[in-house]
Amino acid sequence: MQTRLNSTHSHLYDRDYYLWLQTTLEQIKTGKLEQVDWVNLIAEIEDMSRRERKAIFSNLKILLMHLLKYQHQPEKRSNSWLFTILEHRQRILEDLEISPSLGNYLVECYPKSYQNARKLTSVETGLSLSYFPELSPFTLEETLNPEYLPAGD
């Protein structure tokens, strides 16, 4: 019976994701743990963790790109750049407020995110990669500080 239930729930997962979520939630709330589609639930929780980390990395990369552009192209500064800097700072800070433990990942991924931002900024601006410092000219605190904007070259 257990295999048949799991097979039915797995099929529901493939057929109607929202209904699967609602059914799974109800099963957990009512203590019907033997009916829970554990395989897909575990996969979903793992995927949620990856998505949270990916969002932090992506928002940080975009923020760093715009800080680099702001610093190295003062003549091209725009409200659009300021908006992007503010928007991605807010996204990161909101994620950290909801999940403070992502702060450890933010510290861990900062160097790689900066390297990606540096390369993308070089391509976007047409400036040589060597024009941008190998190590981030911004500390993590400056990067996230809503009041911080780098001085121009």
Side-chain angles (χ1 to χ4, degrees):
M1 185 67 167
Q2 178 72 15
T3 306
R4 186 164 181 249
L5 277 174
N6 284 339
S7 174
T8 301
H9 293 300
S10 183
H11 181 66
L12 181 59
Y13 176 84
D14 294 331
R15 197 172 26 107
D16 188 336
Y17 180 72
Y18 182 76
L19 181 58
W20 175 83
L21 282 173
Q22 295 305 310
T23 301
T24 301
L25 181 61
E26 186 61 28
Q27 290 165 340
I28 292 170
K29 282 182 174 180
T30 59
K32 297 177 182 171
L33 303 181
E34 70 284 350
Q35 295 179 8
V36 172
D37 176 6
W38 290 106
V39 171
N40 285 317
L41 181 58
I42 290 167
E44 283 299 314
I45 292 170
E46 288 172 342
D47 191 47
M48 286 171 56
S49 174
R50 282 189 295 275
R51 282 193 308 262
E52 294 296 315
R53 290 167 56 109
K54 186 176 179 180
I56 287 282
F57 187 88
S58 177
N59 286 313
L60 181 59
K61 179 178 63 177
I62 292 167
L63 172 56
L64 288 166
M65 285 178 63
H66 282 77
L67 289 173
L68 283 170
K69 290 191 304 182
Y70 192 90
Q71 182 178 46
H72 293 281
Q73 294 187 303
E75 72 285 355
K76 294 187 177 185
R77 290 176 181 168
S78 68
N79 285 338
S80 176
W81 286 2
L82 291 173
F83 172 84
T84 300
I85 289 168
L86 179 62
E87 170 70 16
H88 289 275
R89 275 183 177 146
Q90 287 177 348
R91 288 181 187 189
I92 293 168
L93 293 171
E94 287 168 2
D95 285 347
L96 292 175
E97 189 176 312
I98 294 167
S99 301
S101 63
L102 283 172
N104 296 330
Y105 177 69
L106 185 63
V107 170
E108 176 189 323
C109 79
Y110 190 86
K112 182 177 180 181
S113 187
Y114 174 74
Q115 290 306 315
N116 286 356
R118 181 176 171 251
K119 289 173 188 167
L120 291 170
T121 305
S122 172
V123 170
E124 185 176 325
T125 63
L127 298 170
S128 169
L129 183 61
S130 63
Y131 185 76
F132 302 101
E134 277 196 43
L135 297 177
S136 177
F138 325 112
T139 65
L140 180 56
E141 291 74 23
E142 289 171 333
T143 301
L144 298 179
N145 180 346
E147 304 302 319
Y148 174 77
L149 289 171
D153 284 342

